[in-house]
Amino acid sequence: MRYSLIPALALGATLVSALPLEGRADVAQDFNPPPGGDTTILNYALTLEYLERKFYAEGIANYSQADFVKAGFPDPFYKNLKEIYYDEQTHVSFLAGALGPAAVSEATYSFPSTDPKSFVALSSVLEGVGVSAYLGAAAAIADKTYIPIAGSILTVESRHSSYIRAALGESPFPKPFDTPLDFNQVYSLAAQFITGFAAGAAPLPFKAFPPLVIQASQYYYTAGSSSVTFTHGKTNAVKAGLITADTPVYAVLFSGLDKYYVPVYETQGNSGDFKFDKLPAGGDGVLPPTGQVYVVLSTSGTAVSDANTISGVGILEVSPPGDRNLF
Ligand SMILES: *[C@@H]1O[C@H](CO)[C@@H](O)[C@H](O)[C@H]1NC(C)=O
């Protein structure tokens, strides 16, 4: 049930040398260099930084210090938000400067947040995705001199993430390991907020998976107990020709360096929804899924890859199954 990252990467390397380029999508989480190599990776980072910059620019314009205090985020929350905006803005100018004429242009974005609380909740998601994006991309960087530079941005994004999580009353550091995501997985998350590209802009060589809709039932899920329903998960995949009515489908959860495969079933009355009854609890050396957990639907119950992902990426905020027993 559990795949460690290291064998997956080693397997990836073997497959890459044995297969033509098109075959690379079969590798479990594709951490291989994308077409265009480091330039593409820097543009990918720039795309995420543009998104974050725009998000915080809107947030500090839309909501005042008093609004945040009223919503339960005490001083100096607004001041720190401005500091985060400054960091993202600086990341944008740094990356755009490094890329020069090869830099992608900024897209247009739309965010679903409507008040301070939903803004901060989305901030938490975006910072977590930023951490996962830099972490996954690090494996694909060819020029080693970029690694400490990408790392120095990554650690700041993770500090943002901890601060925002704590402000929401969530654990600032929910698991001993953060979660690497691959390019298409991150692109799928970012694409939800992108409404258009600049005219003539060359697109990044990534694709978004069909969206995964998690039925809103709770804010926190609990490892070992919560059920999760994927609205129209079956209907959409059948309609898109990705599965037939009988194809076994698995929810694959990514948390830290652990992956969990959970079979899903169609809920009663041919609803077209997929569901599983219990989030994995971990155990036997496998940590429970905790914190910002990513989920995709896949036709593989053992080796998820971009090629067998039928929709995603969804996000669950998961609490551990109980108090940690450390001593
Ligand atoms: C800011 O407010 C505008 C106008 O109401 C809204 O469209 C946008 O989504 C808001 N942005 C954020 C990040 O909350």
Side-chain angles (χ1 to χ4, degrees), residues 54-63 109-116 118-120 122 126:
K54 179 70 177 160
F55 174 73
Y56 289 107
E58 285 186 11
I60 57 184
N62 281 6
Y63 316 114
Y109 305 97
S110 169
F111 302 102
S113 44
T114 50
D115 55 27
S118 57
F119 170 80
V120 180
L122 184 52
L126 294 179

PDB file of all heavy atoms in Angstrom, residues 54-63 109-116 118-120 122 126, ligand 1:
ATOM      1  N   LYS A  54      -0.511  38.190  -7.100  1.00  0.00           N
ATOM      2  CA  LYS A  54      -1.828  38.748  -7.430  1.00  0.00           C
ATOM      3  C   LYS A  54      -2.816  38.490  -6.280  1.00  0.00           C
ATOM      4  O   LYS A  54      -3.599  39.360  -5.899  1.00  0.00           O
ATOM      5  CB  LYS A  54      -2.321  38.086  -8.728  1.00  0.00           C
ATOM      6  CG  LYS A  54      -3.674  38.536  -9.200  1.00  0.00           C
ATOM      7  CD  LYS A  54      -3.635  39.968  -9.693  1.00  0.00           C
ATOM      8  CE  LYS A  54      -4.983  40.414 -10.244  1.00  0.00           C
ATOM      9  NZ  LYS A  54      -5.077  41.877 -10.279  1.00  0.00           N
ATOM     10  N   PHE A  55      -2.744  37.283  -5.739  1.00  0.00           N
ATOM     11  CA  PHE A  55      -3.650  36.910  -4.649  1.00  0.00           C
ATOM     12  C   PHE A  55      -3.458  37.847  -3.440  1.00  0.00           C
ATOM     13  O   PHE A  55      -4.442  38.368  -2.894  1.00  0.00           O
ATOM     14  CB  PHE A  55      -3.385  35.449  -4.270  1.00  0.00           C
ATOM     15  CG  PHE A  55      -4.148  34.969  -3.077  1.00  0.00           C
ATOM     16  CD1 PHE A  55      -5.518  34.727  -3.161  1.00  0.00           C
ATOM     17  CD2 PHE A  55      -3.514  34.763  -1.859  1.00  0.00           C
ATOM     18  CE1 PHE A  55      -6.234  34.283  -2.051  1.00  0.00           C
ATOM     19  CE2 PHE A  55      -4.223  34.323  -0.756  1.00  0.00           C
ATOM     20  CZ  PHE A  55      -5.584  34.080  -0.846  1.00  0.00           C
ATOM     21  N   TYR A  56      -2.214  38.075  -3.047  1.00  0.00           N
ATOM     22  CA  TYR A  56      -1.981  38.939  -1.878  1.00  0.00           C
ATOM     23  C   TYR A  56      -2.237  40.398  -2.197  1.00  0.00           C
ATOM     24  O   TYR A  56      -2.695  41.150  -1.323  1.00  0.00           O
ATOM     25  CB  TYR A  56      -0.571  38.722  -1.312  1.00  0.00           C
ATOM     26  CG  TYR A  56      -0.460  37.376  -0.642  1.00  0.00           C
ATOM     27  CD1 TYR A  56       0.249  36.336  -1.231  1.00  0.00           C
ATOM     28  CD2 TYR A  56      -1.135  37.126   0.558  1.00  0.00           C
ATOM     29  CE1 TYR A  56       0.312  35.085  -0.634  1.00  0.00           C
ATOM     30  CE2 TYR A  56      -1.079  35.881   1.159  1.00  0.00           C
ATOM     31  CZ  TYR A  56      -0.359  34.862   0.558  1.00  0.00           C
ATOM     32  OH  TYR A  56      -0.318  33.632   1.141  1.00  0.00           O
ATOM     33  N   ALA A  57      -1.967  40.820  -3.448  1.00  0.00           N
ATOM     34  CA  ALA A  57      -2.269  42.209  -3.821  1.00  0.00           C
ATOM     35  C   ALA A  57      -3.772  42.453  -3.642  1.00  0.00           C
ATOM     36  O   ALA A  57      -4.185  43.470  -3.071  1.00  0.00           O
ATOM     37  CB  ALA A  57      -1.845  42.478  -5.260  1.00  0.00           C
ATOM     38  N   GLU A  58      -4.588  41.506  -4.109  1.00  0.00           N
ATOM     39  CA  GLU A  58      -6.043  41.655  -3.958  1.00  0.00           C
ATOM     40  C   GLU A  58      -6.444  41.602  -2.492  1.00  0.00           C
ATOM     41  O   GLU A  58      -7.286  42.360  -2.036  1.00  0.00           O
ATOM     42  CB  GLU A  58      -6.785  40.538  -4.715  1.00  0.00           C
ATOM     43  CG  GLU A  58      -6.804  40.729  -6.215  1.00  0.00           C
ATOM     44  CD  GLU A  58      -7.667  39.684  -6.908  1.00  0.00           C
ATOM     45  OE1 GLU A  58      -8.415  38.940  -6.233  1.00  0.00           O
ATOM     46  OE2 GLU A  58      -7.580  39.608  -8.160  1.00  0.00           O
ATOM     47  N   GLY A  59      -5.826  40.680  -1.761  1.00  0.00           N
ATOM     48  CA  GLY A  59      -6.204  40.504  -0.354  1.00  0.00           C
ATOM     49  C   GLY A  59      -5.931  41.742   0.477  1.00  0.00           C
ATOM     50  O   GLY A  59      -6.788  42.167   1.263  1.00  0.00           O
ATOM     51  N   ILE A  60      -4.755  42.358   0.285  1.00  0.00           N
ATOM     52  CA  ILE A  60      -4.479  43.520   1.124  1.00  0.00           C
ATOM     53  C   ILE A  60      -5.260  44.746   0.646  1.00  0.00           C
ATOM     54  O   ILE A  60      -5.484  45.673   1.410  1.00  0.00           O
ATOM     55  CB  ILE A  60      -2.962  43.814   1.284  1.00  0.00           C
ATOM     56  CG1 ILE A  60      -2.265  44.019  -0.048  1.00  0.00           C
ATOM     57  CG2 ILE A  60      -2.262  42.711   2.067  1.00  0.00           C
ATOM     58  CD1 ILE A  60      -0.750  44.222   0.103  1.00  0.00           C
ATOM     59  N   ALA A  61      -5.692  44.715  -0.638  1.00  0.00           N
ATOM     60  CA  ALA A  61      -6.554  45.808  -1.118  1.00  0.00           C
ATOM     61  C   ALA A  61      -8.006  45.591  -0.679  1.00  0.00           C
ATOM     62  O   ALA A  61      -8.703  46.539  -0.314  1.00  0.00           O
ATOM     63  CB  ALA A  61      -6.478  45.907  -2.634  1.00  0.00           C
ATOM     64  N   ASN A  62      -8.458  44.342  -0.706  1.00  0.00           N
ATOM     65  CA  ASN A  62      -9.873  44.055  -0.413  1.00  0.00           C
ATOM     66  C   ASN A  62     -10.215  44.204   1.072  1.00  0.00           C
ATOM     67  O   ASN A  62     -11.328  44.586   1.406  1.00  0.00           O
ATOM     68  CB  ASN A  62     -10.208  42.602  -0.786  1.00  0.00           C
ATOM     69  CG  ASN A  62     -10.434  42.402  -2.272  1.00  0.00           C
ATOM     70  OD1 ASN A  62     -10.245  43.308  -3.062  1.00  0.00           O
ATOM     71  ND2 ASN A  62     -10.839  41.194  -2.640  1.00  0.00           N
ATOM     72  N   TYR A  63      -9.294  43.802   1.914  1.00  0.00           N
ATOM     73  CA  TYR A  63      -9.603  43.706   3.340  1.00  0.00           C
ATOM     74  C   TYR A  63      -8.651  44.589   4.129  1.00  0.00           C
ATOM     75  O   TYR A  63      -7.463  44.687   3.800  1.00  0.00           O
ATOM     76  CB  TYR A  63      -9.502  42.249   3.802  1.00  0.00           C
ATOM     77  CG  TYR A  63     -10.150  41.271   2.837  1.00  0.00           C
ATOM     78  CD1 TYR A  63      -9.388  40.337   2.136  1.00  0.00           C
ATOM     79  CD2 TYR A  63     -11.526  41.327   2.590  1.00  0.00           C
ATOM     80  CE1 TYR A  63      -9.973  39.476   1.216  1.00  0.00           C
ATOM     81  CE2 TYR A  63     -12.115  40.469   1.672  1.00  0.00           C
ATOM     82  CZ  TYR A  63     -11.337  39.543   0.984  1.00  0.00           C
ATOM     83  OH  TYR A  63     -11.915  38.700   0.066  1.00  0.00           O
ATOM     84  N   TYR A 109      -6.113  36.021 -13.298  1.00  0.00           N
ATOM     85  CA  TYR A 109      -6.519  35.074 -12.260  1.00  0.00           C
ATOM     86  C   TYR A 109      -7.851  35.477 -11.668  1.00  0.00           C
ATOM     87  O   TYR A 109      -8.221  36.657 -11.678  1.00  0.00           O
ATOM     88  CB  TYR A 109      -5.481  35.062 -11.126  1.00  0.00           C
ATOM     89  CG  TYR A 109      -4.084  34.788 -11.604  1.00  0.00           C
ATOM     90  CD1 TYR A 109      -3.202  35.840 -11.842  1.00  0.00           C
ATOM     91  CD2 TYR A 109      -3.656  33.489 -11.843  1.00  0.00           C
ATOM     92  CE1 TYR A 109      -1.916  35.596 -12.302  1.00  0.00           C
ATOM     93  CE2 TYR A 109      -2.379  33.233 -12.302  1.00  0.00           C
ATOM     94  CZ  TYR A 109      -1.508  34.287 -12.531  1.00  0.00           C
ATOM     95  OH  TYR A 109      -0.247  34.036 -12.996  1.00  0.00           O
ATOM     96  N   SER A 110      -8.531  34.507 -11.106  1.00  0.00           N
ATOM     97  CA  SER A 110      -9.725  34.800 -10.332  1.00  0.00           C
ATOM     98  C   SER A 110      -9.730  33.890  -9.114  1.00  0.00           C
ATOM     99  O   SER A 110      -9.476  32.692  -9.219  1.00  0.00           O
ATOM    100  CB  SER A 110     -10.955  34.549 -11.205  1.00  0.00           C
ATOM    101  OG  SER A 110     -12.103  34.583 -10.405  1.00  0.00           O
ATOM    102  N   PHE A 111      -9.981  34.472  -7.966  1.00  0.00           N
ATOM    103  CA  PHE A 111      -9.941  33.708  -6.715  1.00  0.00           C
ATOM    104  C   PHE A 111     -11.328  33.649  -6.095  1.00  0.00           C
ATOM    105  O   PHE A 111     -12.067  34.629  -6.133  1.00  0.00           O
ATOM    106  CB  PHE A 111      -8.953  34.363  -5.739  1.00  0.00           C
ATOM    107  CG  PHE A 111      -7.567  34.468  -6.313  1.00  0.00           C
ATOM    108  CD1 PHE A 111      -7.092  35.681  -6.808  1.00  0.00           C
ATOM    109  CD2 PHE A 111      -6.756  33.349  -6.401  1.00  0.00           C
ATOM    110  CE1 PHE A 111      -5.821  35.777  -7.364  1.00  0.00           C
ATOM    111  CE2 PHE A 111      -5.484  33.430  -6.948  1.00  0.00           C
ATOM    112  CZ  PHE A 111      -5.015  34.644  -7.429  1.00  0.00           C
ATOM    113  N   PRO A 112     -11.669  32.511  -5.501  1.00  0.00           N
ATOM    114  CA  PRO A 112     -13.030  32.372  -4.959  1.00  0.00           C
ATOM    115  C   PRO A 112     -13.221  33.014  -3.579  1.00  0.00           C
ATOM    116  O   PRO A 112     -14.330  33.002  -3.060  1.00  0.00           O
ATOM    117  CB  PRO A 112     -13.208  30.854  -4.876  1.00  0.00           C
ATOM    118  CG  PRO A 112     -11.827  30.313  -4.691  1.00  0.00           C
ATOM    119  CD  PRO A 112     -10.908  31.259  -5.413  1.00  0.00           C
ATOM    120  N   SER A 113     -12.194  33.577  -2.989  1.00  0.00           N
ATOM    121  CA  SER A 113     -12.358  34.094  -1.614  1.00  0.00           C
ATOM    122  C   SER A 113     -13.232  35.341  -1.606  1.00  0.00           C
ATOM    123  O   SER A 113     -13.165  36.168  -2.513  1.00  0.00           O
ATOM    124  CB  SER A 113     -10.999  34.381  -0.982  1.00  0.00           C
ATOM    125  OG  SER A 113     -10.151  35.037  -1.881  1.00  0.00           O
ATOM    126  N   THR A 114     -14.047  35.420  -0.586  1.00  0.00           N
ATOM    127  CA  THR A 114     -15.031  36.505  -0.520  1.00  0.00           C
ATOM    128  C   THR A 114     -14.986  37.292   0.781  1.00  0.00           C
ATOM    129  O   THR A 114     -15.679  38.288   0.926  1.00  0.00           O
ATOM    130  CB  THR A 114     -16.460  35.941  -0.659  1.00  0.00           C
ATOM    131  OG1 THR A 114     -16.579  34.845   0.278  1.00  0.00           O
ATOM    132  CG2 THR A 114     -16.742  35.409  -2.053  1.00  0.00           C
ATOM    133  N   ASP A 115     -14.222  36.828   1.751  1.00  0.00           N
ATOM    134  CA  ASP A 115     -14.115  37.542   3.027  1.00  0.00           C
ATOM    135  C   ASP A 115     -12.767  37.184   3.662  1.00  0.00           C
ATOM    136  O   ASP A 115     -12.062  36.303   3.153  1.00  0.00           O
ATOM    137  CB  ASP A 115     -15.288  37.172   3.955  1.00  0.00           C
ATOM    138  CG  ASP A 115     -15.401  35.672   4.175  1.00  0.00           C
ATOM    139  OD1 ASP A 115     -14.370  34.958   4.075  1.00  0.00           O
ATOM    140  OD2 ASP A 115     -16.521  35.191   4.436  1.00  0.00           O
ATOM    141  N   PRO A 116     -12.399  37.868   4.758  1.00  0.00           N
ATOM    142  CA  PRO A 116     -11.062  37.622   5.341  1.00  0.00           C
ATOM    143  C   PRO A 116     -10.830  36.150   5.656  1.00  0.00           C
ATOM    144  O   PRO A 116      -9.764  35.601   5.384  1.00  0.00           O
ATOM    145  CB  PRO A 116     -11.068  38.474   6.612  1.00  0.00           C
ATOM    146  CG  PRO A 116     -12.020  39.567   6.317  1.00  0.00           C
ATOM    147  CD  PRO A 116     -13.091  38.964   5.456  1.00  0.00           C
ATOM    148  N   SER A 118     -12.187  33.326   4.335  1.00  0.00           N
ATOM    149  CA  SER A 118     -11.969  32.465   3.169  1.00  0.00           C
ATOM    150  C   SER A 118     -10.685  32.853   2.444  1.00  0.00           C
ATOM    151  O   SER A 118     -10.021  32.014   1.829  1.00  0.00           O
ATOM    152  CB  SER A 118     -13.181  32.476   2.218  1.00  0.00           C
ATOM    153  OG  SER A 118     -13.496  33.768   1.781  1.00  0.00           O
ATOM    154  N   PHE A 119     -10.318  34.118   2.542  1.00  0.00           N
ATOM    155  CA  PHE A 119      -9.040  34.553   1.975  1.00  0.00           C
ATOM    156  C   PHE A 119      -7.873  33.861   2.695  1.00  0.00           C
ATOM    157  O   PHE A 119      -6.961  33.329   2.057  1.00  0.00           O
ATOM    158  CB  PHE A 119      -8.910  36.081   2.083  1.00  0.00           C
ATOM    159  CG  PHE A 119      -7.539  36.577   1.732  1.00  0.00           C
ATOM    160  CD1 PHE A 119      -7.153  36.722   0.407  1.00  0.00           C
ATOM    161  CD2 PHE A 119      -6.626  36.890   2.733  1.00  0.00           C
ATOM    162  CE1 PHE A 119      -5.871  37.158   0.084  1.00  0.00           C
ATOM    163  CE2 PHE A 119      -5.347  37.326   2.423  1.00  0.00           C
ATOM    164  CZ  PHE A 119      -4.962  37.457   1.089  1.00  0.00           C
ATOM    165  N   VAL A 120      -7.909  33.836   4.010  1.00  0.00           N
ATOM    166  CA  VAL A 120      -6.804  33.230   4.768  1.00  0.00           C
ATOM    167  C   VAL A 120      -6.785  31.710   4.550  1.00  0.00           C
ATOM    168  O   VAL A 120      -5.720  31.100   4.426  1.00  0.00           O
ATOM    169  CB  VAL A 120      -6.883  33.591   6.273  1.00  0.00           C
ATOM    170  CG1 VAL A 120      -5.727  32.958   7.045  1.00  0.00           C
ATOM    171  CG2 VAL A 120      -6.850  35.107   6.471  1.00  0.00           C
ATOM    172  N   LEU A 122      -7.667  30.183   1.822  1.00  0.00           N
ATOM    173  CA  LEU A 122      -7.075  29.952   0.496  1.00  0.00           C
ATOM    174  C   LEU A 122      -5.576  30.251   0.511  1.00  0.00           C
ATOM    175  O   LEU A 122      -4.790  29.563  -0.149  1.00  0.00           O
ATOM    176  CB  LEU A 122      -7.803  30.805  -0.558  1.00  0.00           C
ATOM    177  CG  LEU A 122      -7.373  30.601  -2.011  1.00  0.00           C
ATOM    178  CD1 LEU A 122      -7.393  29.130  -2.422  1.00  0.00           C
ATOM    179  CD2 LEU A 122      -8.272  31.412  -2.955  1.00  0.00           C
ATOM    180  N   LEU A 126      -2.632  27.848  -0.884  1.00  0.00           N
ATOM    181  CA  LEU A 126      -1.658  28.273  -1.899  1.00  0.00           C
ATOM    182  C   LEU A 126      -0.225  28.158  -1.389  1.00  0.00           C
ATOM    183  O   LEU A 126       0.675  27.752  -2.126  1.00  0.00           O
ATOM    184  CB  LEU A 126      -1.937  29.712  -2.341  1.00  0.00           C
ATOM    185  CG  LEU A 126      -3.250  29.934  -3.100  1.00  0.00           C
ATOM    186  CD1 LEU A 126      -3.428  31.413  -3.458  1.00  0.00           C
ATOM    187  CD2 LEU A 126      -3.312  29.084  -4.361  1.00  0.00           C
TER     188      LEU A 126
HETATM  189  C1  LIG B   1     -11.125  40.892  -3.975  1.00  0.00           C
HETATM  190  O1  LIG B   1     -12.376  41.473  -4.264  1.00  0.00           O
HETATM  191  C2  LIG B   1     -12.821  41.296  -5.609  1.00  0.00           C
HETATM  192  C3  LIG B   1     -14.097  42.114  -5.794  1.00  0.00           C
HETATM  193  O2  LIG B   1     -15.059  41.735  -4.876  1.00  0.00           O
HETATM  194  C4  LIG B   1     -13.051  39.806  -5.847  1.00  0.00           C
HETATM  195  O3  LIG B   1     -13.456  39.579  -7.167  1.00  0.00           O
HETATM  196  C5  LIG B   1     -11.721  39.077  -5.587  1.00  0.00           C
HETATM  197  O4  LIG B   1     -11.915  37.669  -5.722  1.00  0.00           O
HETATM  198  C6  LIG B   1     -11.197  39.371  -4.195  1.00  0.00           C
HETATM  199  N1  LIG B   1      -9.877  38.778  -4.081  1.00  0.00           N
HETATM  200  C7  LIG B   1      -9.479  38.007  -3.063  1.00  0.00           C
HETATM  201  C8  LIG B   1      -8.097  37.447  -3.159  1.00  0.00           C
HETATM  202  O5  LIG B   1     -10.150  37.765  -2.065  1.00  0.00           O
END
